[in-house]
Amino acid sequence: MTPVRTAELRLRVAAKRTIAEGVVALDLVAADGADLPPWAPGAHIDLRCGEHIRQYSLCGDPADRRYRVAVRRDDPGRGGSRFVHDTLAEGDEIVGGGPRNNFPLVEAKRYLFIAGGIGITPLLPMMAAARRGGVEFRLAYGGRDRASMPFLDALPGQVSVHPQDEVGLLDLDALVGEPEVGTAVYCCGPEPLLRAIEDRAAGWRDATLHVERFSPREGALEGAAGPDEGFEVELASTGEVLAVPAERSLLAVLGDAGVPVLSSCEEGTCGTCETGVLAGEIDHRDSLLTPDEQAANDVMFPCVSRARSPRLVLDL
């Protein structure tokens, strides 16, 4: 993989509206009226929500001149969604970044999309792309109840809706027990849903699974190298060597040294701090890279990942 650096965006809220219980949609345009950077299905943008930076999936039309995101209110969270719901208003300007795509739509003979609640957002442009390309797809969409499930009136193609208060939880054994040959399965939603699907996918032979998370994968932050230990990193551009003690993150050490690495979630889910690695063995603790991508050993997320070797050489 090649790390992608994105520019800061100055955005204006062109429209804000409630689209489901606890969910608002924002239409964002460039504050200076210029064209926004292009994007593809699966992409997200960063938004500076007060003191926090949060990532939201783009759920509009890539051909449109505006970005559309949907934000569910999360009162127990760290405050980003409350800022969007309670403070941000139409006409306000907001700083963003991106777009960045850690969840791209691959070519396939057919698609199975599985959404849990607000996880429907990245799947909407994917389904639209599949329909334009004449590719067979179906969607299974679960949620607490219909009132809380956004975009119910904008779902294309073969759709099965599963409000929990009416029909119970999604029947994952029926959905993904053994997908058809050539099927790409895309899933986004709460961690229990993703974990349950990943467990079932372990026995698949001829299907591929793609997931996007809002929180770290269970056990990811524990790492593969056991207890945290100190290590060194060498900056390829200058040869400078930095010591990373056991109790500090690589991202924090880079920041103290004045090395510019953009970051956001600091839990290995957003991809903002992706950094190239030229030598050394990485202890991957992110929830983004596939096993094959981790095995390639060429990028890491310094907010959470560490080293399994005494030294890493970073492409910085």
Side-chain angles (χ1 to χ4, degrees):
M1 294 181 64
T2 301
V4 177
R5 301 303 180 203
T6 57
E8 181 178 281
L9 303 171
R10 298 206 65 86
L11 303 168
R12 179 174 57 82
V13 181
K16 177 183 178 181
R17 63 195 184 284
T18 299
I19 59 171
E21 185 179 281
V23 181
V24 297
L26 303 177
D27 285 352
L28 304 165
V29 298
D32 62 2
D35 289 338
L36 291 169
W39 61 281
H44 69 262
I45 58 171
D46 303 328
L47 291 180
R48 184 175 295 280
C49 301
E51 298 179 354
H52 309 280
I53 298 177
R54 293 291 176 264
Q55 292 72 43
Y56 297 109
S57 298
L58 292 170
C59 56
D61 182 350
D64 199 349
R65 285 174 51 87
R66 60 183 59 197
Y67 292 160
R68 177 170 296 164
V69 299
V71 181
R72 181 178 297 284
R73 186 183 185 96
D74 181 16
D75 284 318
R78 290 180 287 179
S81 69
R82 293 196 299 275
F83 174 87
V84 171
H85 278 253
D86 298 342
T87 303
L88 198 62
E90 288 187 14
D92 286 352
E93 291 191 9
I94 186 170
V95 175
R100 184 180 295 105
N101 200 336
N102 303 316
F103 193 43
L105 184 66
V106 302
E107 290 187 9
K109 292 182 179 179
R110 67 188 63 81
Y111 298 101
L112 169 60
F113 298 107
I114 304 172
I118 198 66
I120 188 65
T121 50
L123 305 183
L124 292 172
M126 292 184 180
M127 291 187 288
R131 182 172 58 178
R132 286 194 300 270
V135 181
E136 177 188 346
F137 69 92
R138 59 193 178 101
L139 166 69
Y141 181 17
R144 186 179 68 250
D145 52 47
R146 290 179 184 272
S148 66
M149 298 169 68
F151 301 110
L152 280 178
D153 58 349
L155 300 176
Q158 184 180 345
V159 178
S160 56
V161 177
H162 300 261
Q164 186 175 346
D165 65 336
E166 297 177 19
V167 297
L169 297 172
L170 287 163
D171 186 350
L172 298 183
D173 290 327
L175 278 171
V176 297
E178 185 59 56
E180 297 174 322
V181 175
T183 299
V185 181
Y186 277 79
C187 182
C188 186
E191 180 61 20
L193 171 65
L194 303 185
R195 191 166 62 248
I197 290 178
E198 286 177 330
D199 289 345
R200 287 162 174 79
W204 292 357
R205 297 188 302 273
D206 300 304
T208 57
L209 175 64
H210 308 264
V211 302
E212 183 166 60
R213 283 181 153 82
F214 302 133
S215 58
R217 182 187 291 114
E218 184 179 22
L221 300 181
E222 298 171 4
D228 289 351
E229 296 182 357
F231 60 97
E232 294 180 337
V233 293
E234 178 182 337
L235 309 183
S237 62
T238 64
E240 182 181 4
V241 176
L242 304 174
V244 183
E247 70 277 6
R248 302 199 69 205
S249 71
L250 171 54
L251 182 67
V253 170
L254 291 171
D256 286 350
V259 181
V261 177
L262 295 176
S263 66
S264 176
C265 73
E266 298 190 10
E267 57 185 16
T269 60
C270 74
T272 304
C273 65
E274 186 175 344
T275 300
V277 177
L278 303 178
E281 188 177 1
I282 305 164
D283 178 10
H284 291 287
R285 303 187 180 194
D286 65 271
S287 299
L288 285 162
L289 299 178
T290 66
D292 287 344
E293 289 170 339
Q294 290 187 348
N297 203 69
D298 56 0
V299 297
M300 70 183 299
F301 298 93
C303 64
V304 293
S305 294
R306 302 183 68 81
R308 301 181 69 179
S309 56
R311 179 179 291 191
L312 298 175
V313 180
L314 304 182
D315 189 14
L316 291 173

